């Protein structure tokens, strides 16, 4: 029996290219809720995972979260409660198989909103590429400054047009927000200690936890909508992967 701590994020946000906004899936209303700009958050920590949708088989692609691309990813095809393992190994070893199935490398960023709410941002494709560019050589600022999204840009690959958020700095925390941030960071650290503990925590349990998180993120209809959204050009994805390989997890405080 797993003793893992439940994922502490209250909402799982992703960028909706067609709508030019972040959104999360509300299980109660079974609808996508869109966040009006500006969106401000304090990045606390980030992991790496695989997310996607296989349109032909009508099922989700998900994996466990890992700290490094060299760690073992266990990627499953998930449909109506059933799952099938499709790949296992480091990102470099399973990349082609994962992409064939429709999975995409995704940065899982745990963050605090200004009111103290803990959320998770799922960044992939063009959103992830611009996120990597934003955080370069600015790691020291993530300790006490908010990140702000108050606009977007358009990209184009052939006839396909897509959008991605613009990340900028949104100001330092005040005293009360620092107190909230300390509490949020402690919660994330407790979750990390539970999720990544070496003893009594199998990969199967980690993937099960990822599936549970997925059910809070979107259902089949929402996932299908994501497939219909424009995707960034292959050059951008390749650039993103090269940058990800070069990143040392110790280089950033989150």
């Amino acid at each position: 029996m797993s003793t893992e701590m439940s994922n502490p994020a209250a909402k799982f946000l992703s960028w909706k290219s067609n709508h030019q906004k972040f959104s999360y899936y509300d299980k109660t209303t079974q609808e996508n809720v869109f966040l009006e700009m500006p969106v401000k958050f304090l990045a606390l920590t980030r992991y790496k995972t695989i997310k996607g949708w296989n349109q032909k088989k009508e099922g989700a692609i998900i994996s466990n979260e890992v700290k490094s691309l060299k760690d073992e990813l266990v990627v499953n095809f998930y449909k109506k409660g059933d799952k099938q393992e499709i790949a296992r190994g480091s990102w470099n070893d399973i990349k082609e198989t994962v992409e064939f199935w429709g999975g995409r490398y995704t940065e899982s960023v745990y963050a605090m909103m200004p009111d103290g709410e803990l959320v998770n941002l799922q960044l992939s494709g063009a959103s992830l590429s611009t996120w990597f560019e934003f955080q370069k050589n600015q790691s020291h600022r993530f300790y006490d400054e908010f990140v702000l999204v108050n606009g977007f840009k358009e990209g184009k690959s052939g006839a396909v047009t897509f959008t991605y958020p613009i990340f900028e700095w949104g100001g330092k925390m005040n005293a009360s927000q620092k107190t909230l941030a300390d509490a949020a960071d402690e919660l994330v650290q407790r979750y990390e200690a539970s999720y990544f503990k070496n003893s009594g925590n199998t990969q199967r349990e980690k993937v099960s936890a990822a599936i549970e998180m997925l059910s809070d993120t979107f259902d089949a209809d929402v996932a299908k909508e994501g497939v219909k959204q424009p995707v960034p050009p292959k050059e951008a994805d390749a650039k993103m992967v090269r940058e990800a390989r070069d990143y040392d997890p110790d280089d950033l405080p989150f």
Side-chain angles (χ1 to χ4, degrees), residues 10-252:
K11 297 182 177 78
F12 296 87
L13 310 180
S14 60
W15 179 256
K16 300 299 182 184
S17 182
N18 287 346
H19 299 275
Q20 302 93 42
K21 294 178 182 178
F22 280 105
S23 77
Y24 65 92
Y25 180 67
D26 189 320
K27 288 186 66 177
T28 302
T29 63
Q30 297 185 355
E31 293 179 344
N32 256 341
V33 179
F34 293 92
L35 276 62
E36 297 298 329
M37 294 187 188
V39 175
K40 184 186 288 189
F41 61 88
L42 180 76
L44 298 172
T45 192
R46 90 276 190 251
Y47 308 121
K48 306 170 192 307
T49 187
I50 304 297
K51 292 289 188 296
W53 178 260
N54 187 302
Q55 192 167 16
K56 183 177 181 180
K57 295 179 178 292
E58 296 190 336
I61 309 297
I62 57 175
S63 80
N64 55 316
E65 293 183 326
V66 297
K67 293 182 178 181
S68 168
L69 289 174
K70 296 179 181 179
D71 294 338
E72 184 180 66
L73 287 157
V74 181
V75 188
N76 282 264
F77 170 73
Y78 177 74
K79 181 178 182 179
K80 296 180 179 179
D82 297 324
K83 71 174 183 285
Q84 170 190 351
E85 184 177 311
I86 60 174
R88 178 186 290 258
S90 66
W91 174 245
N92 286 351
D93 294 335
I94 66 175
K95 178 179 180 290
E96 290 186 5
T97 300
V98 169
E99 292 183 343
F100 174 80
W101 275 81
R104 306 182 75 188
Y105 172 83
T106 301
E107 194 93 337
S108 179
V109 181
Y110 288 83
M112 186 196 79
M113 305 299 272
D115 62 358
E117 183 180 45
L118 188 60
V119 300
N120 177 278
L121 283 81
Q122 303 276 297
L123 301 175
S124 61
S127 297
L128 181 56
S129 294
T130 191
W131 172 249
F132 278 150
E133 288 293 335
F134 169 72
Q135 67 185 9
K136 274 185 177 180
N137 303 318
Q138 302 191 83
S139 61
H140 62 286
R141 300 185 66 173
F142 282 93
Y143 285 106
D144 60 358
E145 290 190 54
F146 284 104
V147 176
L148 180 71
V149 176
N150 197 27
F152 66 92
K153 289 185 178 180
E154 289 188 351
K156 192 170 184 178
S157 176
V160 178
T161 301
F162 58 92
T163 70
Y164 53 91
I166 300 172
F167 298 104
E168 55 186 302
W169 294 109
K172 292 180 180 271
M173 293 183 290
N174 58 35
S176 61
Q177 288 169 335
K178 286 183 178 181
T179 300
L180 292 173
D182 288 341
D185 187 57
E186 181 180 354
L187 189 59
V188 171
Q189 288 185 35
R190 284 171 50 202
Y191 172 67
E192 177 177 313
S194 170
Y195 188 81
F196 291 105
K197 65 181 182 294
N198 292 322
S199 60
N201 190 21
T202 66
Q203 287 290 354
R204 179 178 296 179
E205 289 171 343
K206 290 181 180 180
V207 174
S208 296
I211 291 174
E212 180 181 356
M213 182 181 76
L214 175 76
S215 67
D216 290 333
T217 310
F218 56 83
D219 66 359
D221 290 334
V222 176
K224 290 177 184 176
E225 178 186 341
V227 172
K228 296 175 183 176
Q229 295 180 3
V231 296
K234 289 296 182 181
E235 291 80 5
D237 280 341
K239 181 173 181 289
M240 176 272 294
V241 172
R242 287 196 299 271
E243 291 174 347
R245 290 173 182 166
D246 294 337
Y247 266 89
D248 182 346
D250 295 330
D251 287 344
L252 296 173

